[in-house]
Amino acid sequence: MNTQPINVLGYTSNNQQFVVKTLSTNLKVSQNDNYLESKTPNPYEYILAGFAAYINALGILVAQELAVQLYSLQIEITGNLNDDVLLAKSNSGFKNITIKLKPATDVPMEALQKWLEEIKSRNPTSHLLGSNAPVNLVLFKKFACN
């Protein structure tokens, strides 16, 4: 099995803002102790954004393999943090994570359920997060009315 390295560089400027440089962009991360009042994304939002991007790529790949035509895919992720994490007293992370998948498609619900099960079976992201938080995948089908 080949491995591909992924490199990022993080630095802080005057202890005001943490910047992460990737191959294609710079990401600014909040250094504010009060994440809820920050004007830039906090580390937890970036974790969930990365999780959503991974689920999106996996969902598109699985749809292609199963011949499920997706017109669009909306992904909403909610992570509930342990209170001790917000107080910097623990690194226990998220209590739970809920992922709502909202595909726009014409396929029957049975095909979407198979699609969802395949995503669940291939998704290593919850293990990559290093969290014991349960991850719940929820499927909503968008219906078009003419």
Side-chain angles (χ1 to χ4, degrees):
M1 173 190 262
N2 292 334
T3 60
Q4 293 183 346
I6 298 173
N7 296 313
V8 298
L9 169 67
Y11 64 92
T12 188
S13 175
N14 298 325
N15 293 324
Q16 297 297 313
Q17 185 110 78
F18 187 69
V19 177
V20 177
K21 295 177 83 64
T22 71
L23 187 61
S24 59
T25 192
N26 293 341
L27 308 170
K28 294 180 180 179
V29 182
S30 172
Q31 288 289 87
N32 188 342
D33 290 337
N34 189 347
Y35 291 131
L36 300 176
E37 295 178 7
S38 177
K39 293 180 181 159
T40 60
N42 66 57
Y44 305 107
E45 290 170 321
Y46 275 115
I47 289 169
L48 295 180
F51 201 178
Y54 180 82
I55 296 288
N56 179 68
L58 182 59
I60 290 169
L61 176 68
V62 170
Q64 290 170 346
E65 291 173 357
L66 298 177
V68 170
Q69 183 176 5
L70 293 178
Y71 301 116
S72 66
L73 177 58
Q74 181 179 339
I75 301 169
E76 178 184 336
I77 299 185
T78 302
N80 293 309
L81 286 172
N82 286 316
D83 294 337
D84 288 344
V85 170
L86 295 173
L87 301 172
K89 294 181 179 179
S90 170
N91 63 353
S92 57
F94 293 102
K95 288 181 185 177
N96 57 53
I97 298 171
T98 300
I99 304 167
K100 295 179 183 175
L101 300 174
K102 300 176 182 179
T105 183
D106 294 332
V107 300
M109 188 56 95
E110 296 79 25
L112 278 180
Q113 288 172 335
K114 184 176 180 181
W115 172 77
L116 180 65
E117 289 304 317
E118 188 64 26
I119 290 171
K120 284 182 184 179
S121 72
R122 292 193 201 179
N123 183 6
T125 308
S126 57
H127 302 292
L128 293 173
L129 290 175
S131 173
N132 292 327
V135 176
N136 304 309
L137 280 168
V138 180
L139 175 65
F140 290 90
K141 183 173 181 185
K142 290 187 176 184
F143 293 95
C145 297
N146 294 330

